[in-house]
Amino acid sequence: DIQMTQSPSFVSASVGDRVTITCRASQGISNWLTWYQQKPGKAPKLLISAASNLRSGVPSRFSGSGSGTDFTLTISCLQPEDFATYYCLQANGLPLSFGGGTKVEI
Amino acid sequence: EVQLVESGGGLVKPGGSLRLSCAASGFTFSHAWMSWVRQAPGEGLEWVGRIKSKSSGETKEYSAPVKDRFTISRDDSKNTLYLQMNSLKTEDTAVYYCTWENPRPGEFDYWGQGILVTVSS
């Protein structure tokens, strides 16, 4: 099974900050990596697919990079609506596996 | 508009069974790969399993914690996805989401609102 190690678990940040979240796969997953945002009590929302493709309607302050085992989600200028928990997911191998999540809070 | 609406959750005793349904609309359900994802209270997301479309062999895949206890099925004539959960354990307590993988595996573009399953005596 492929393990996804996400760091940090918590980020304390302010509006306007640049935030970087990392996911590391236990083995190479090419670009089979997606990023999700989840707000309390809501279903997750797909932000980025194929490691770096911004989904339609997602603000350009979000970006993703990486390939193989190391991936990054960057929020370039944090907005109030970005305070949420972020998850990565690998789909290169079964079972699909999520990272542990990163809570971005004030 | 794509909609996924789960139903069938509730309280069940350990060892019991429950069947969740997910009614889909707004897309060609018969062509869709569908997954279930769950989230225990205060915890992260966990993939439960997937069923591929009939044209992809209707293959079913499961995570280790639920394999041999949970069964995913679909009725394309009713645009409905199912999750039959047997031999339930307290650790199966979670909000269960049905999701549509579109267009690539792991790209959960649409989610239901989630339904709570509580396993407790």
Side-chain angles (χ1 to χ4, degrees):
Chain A
D1 294 6
I2 299 172
Q3 313 301 322
M4 301 301 295
T5 303
Q6 191 172 338
S7 61
S9 299
F10 295 93
V11 173
S12 181
S14 301
V15 172
D17 283 354
R18 181 184 182 89
V19 171
T20 299
I21 298 168
T22 297
C23 257
R24 174 164 288 175
S26 59
Q27 64 190 73
I29 60 169
S30 185
N31 70 342
W32 289 94
L33 192 284
T34 50
W35 288 99
Y36 296 86
Q37 176 194 65
Q38 187 180 33
K39 296 183 179 179
K42 300 292 187 182
K45 173 186 175 183
L46 177 57
L47 298 177
I48 289 172
S49 57
S52 59
N53 293 347
L54 200 66
R55 299 295 282 207
S56 174
V58 176
S60 59
R61 61 182 178 273
F62 290 93
S63 64
S65 65
S67 182
T69 59
D70 293 313
F71 302 87
T72 299
L73 171 70
T74 300
I75 311 171
S76 60
C77 182
L78 204 63
Q79 297 300 299
E81 59 268 31
D82 301 335
F83 289 94
T85 302
Y86 295 84
Y87 296 92
C88 62
L89 168 74
Q90 72 79 22
N92 183 71
L94 291 171
L96 306 190
S97 47
F98 287 93
T102 296
K103 186 173 183 180
V104 178
E105 54 191 7
I106 299 173
Chain B
E1 180 195 5
V2 172
Q3 281 200 310
L4 297 169
V5 180
E6 300 97 340
S7 60
L11 175 64
V12 62
K13 289 181 168 52
S17 297
L18 206 59
R19 187 178 83 158
L20 304 184
S21 300
C22 173
S25 60
F27 63 104
T28 307
F29 180 77
S30 61
H31 293 174
W33 290 22
M34 302 295 295
S35 273
W36 289 95
V37 174
R38 69 183 180 182
Q39 186 169 37
E43 301 296 323
L45 300 170
E46 180 186 18
W47 180 75
V48 171
R50 158 211 283 161
I51 185 167
K52 297 181 181 178
S53 61
K54 187 163 286 186
S55 62
S56 297
E58 212 167 289
T59 306
K60 303 170 189 181
E61 292 145 345
Y62 301 94
S63 64
V66 308
K67 190 172 166 57
D68 298 327
R69 298 188 299 122
F70 289 11
T71 302
I72 299 175
S73 61
R74 63 192 301 157
D75 185 335
D76 291 344
S77 69
K78 295 182 178 178
N79 287 349
T80 301
L81 175 73
Y82 301 101
L83 179 65
Q84 177 67 44
M85 302 183 291
N86 298 332
S87 303
L88 281 160
K89 306 175 181 181
T90 55
E91 53 264 40
D92 295 318
T93 295
V95 172
Y96 285 74
Y97 296 98
C98 73
T99 69
W100 172 26
E101 287 183 77
N102 176 58
R104 297 197 327 163
E107 294 177 8
F108 300 131
D109 214 0
Y110 294 93
W111 297 67
Q113 82 284 2
I115 191 127
L116 178 63
V117 172
T118 303
V119 184
S120 174
S121 54

